[in-house]
Amino acid sequence: MADATPRLAVLASGRGSNLQAILDAIDDGRLHAQVAGVFGDKPRAFALERARAAGIPARALRPGDFAGRDEFDAALFAEVASVRPDLIVCAGYMRLLGAAALAPWAGRIINIHPSLLPDFKGLDTHARALAAGVPEHGASVHFVTADLDGGPVIAQARVPVLDGDDADALAARVLDTEHPLLVATLQLLCAARIVLRDEVVELDGRPLAAPLQLASNRLPA
Ligand code: GRF
């Protein structure tokens, strides 16, 4: 992936602030990549508007128009494949992906999840972190497998949980750290420094003993 400009396809269901962070990083030269297409399951998602405003093809399919999840996934991934991505980035894509759709993309599809995985897989992570009383929370970027939020973790960013936090305050603090985390992880992936080999994340050819801790937009030396 390191030679030609890496092509990204982004999957998004909502407001698309992580997509915007990617677009901004490409624009100002921090990320050597291009977003070849943005795809989703919600035709009115603001993420699609952000893509179109940047001149990027954007398309949402409606799950209700398909017989089931596998049929929907197959149609969506046919759209994704049509832009010939090197890497698929799930950035706030809120539907489960089935094993059949994922199989051809193993090691080439990542997701950003708002918790320190393996803690708090699934939804409502911020409220659940508060209810559990953890002192620290954060976000993780991981390779996607059919195991929901269970694929190998590449990198994490941590934030403190503060007295008086509610779920919205904590979500905002995590989101601020998601954007640099996602960009920094993409820098490593697009430079082919991170790869998934036999379900193990490797950095520069060596297995990662633990997820990278990317507190700021600083790459490992
Ligand atoms: C982020 O918190 C992401 O981690 C989660 O969904 C949210 C999407 O935010 N998967 P945005 O659409 O990128 O603004």
Side-chain angles (χ1 to χ4, degrees), residues 9-11 69 73 76-77 87-113 117 140-155 182 185-186 189 194-196 199-201:
V10 176
L11 302 190
R69 190 178 82 186
D73 284 354
L76 186 72
F77 275 68
L87 184 70
I88 302 172
V89 182
C90 299
Y93 181 67
M94 301 306 284
R95 282 180 68 82
L96 291 175
L97 290 167
L102 289 171
W105 298 98
R108 292 188 294 152
I109 177 166
I110 63 166
N111 177 49
I112 184 156
H113 179 76
L117 291 171
S140 305
V141 179
H142 64 94
F143 285 106
V144 177
T145 65
D147 177 13
L148 174 70
D149 300 327
V153 179
I154 305 167
L182 182 57
T185 308
L186 283 170
L189 283 157
I194 290 278
V195 298
L196 185 68
E199 293 172 41
V200 173
V201 181

Side-chain angles (χ1 to χ4, degrees), residues 14-19 91-94 111-114 126 175 178:
R15 81 197 139 184
S17 71
N18 279 287
L19 167 66
Y93 181 67
M94 301 306 284
N111 177 49
I112 184 156
H113 179 76
H126 310 300
L175 191 67
E178 286 187 34

Side-chain angles (χ1 to χ4, degrees), residues 14 19-20 38 43-56 58:
L19 167 66
Q20 193 65 56
V38 175
R44 302 172 76 88
F46 189 55
L48 303 182
E49 282 185 38
R50 293 183 195 262
R52 292 185 187 117
I56 295 163

Side-chain angles (χ1 to χ4, degrees), residues 12-35:
S13 302
R15 81 197 139 184
S17 71
N18 279 287
L19 167 66
Q20 193 65 56
I22 296 170
L23 295 174
D24 292 347
I26 291 172
D27 262 5
D28 65 23
R30 282 176 291 132
L31 180 62
H32 178 61
Q34 60 177 301
V35 177

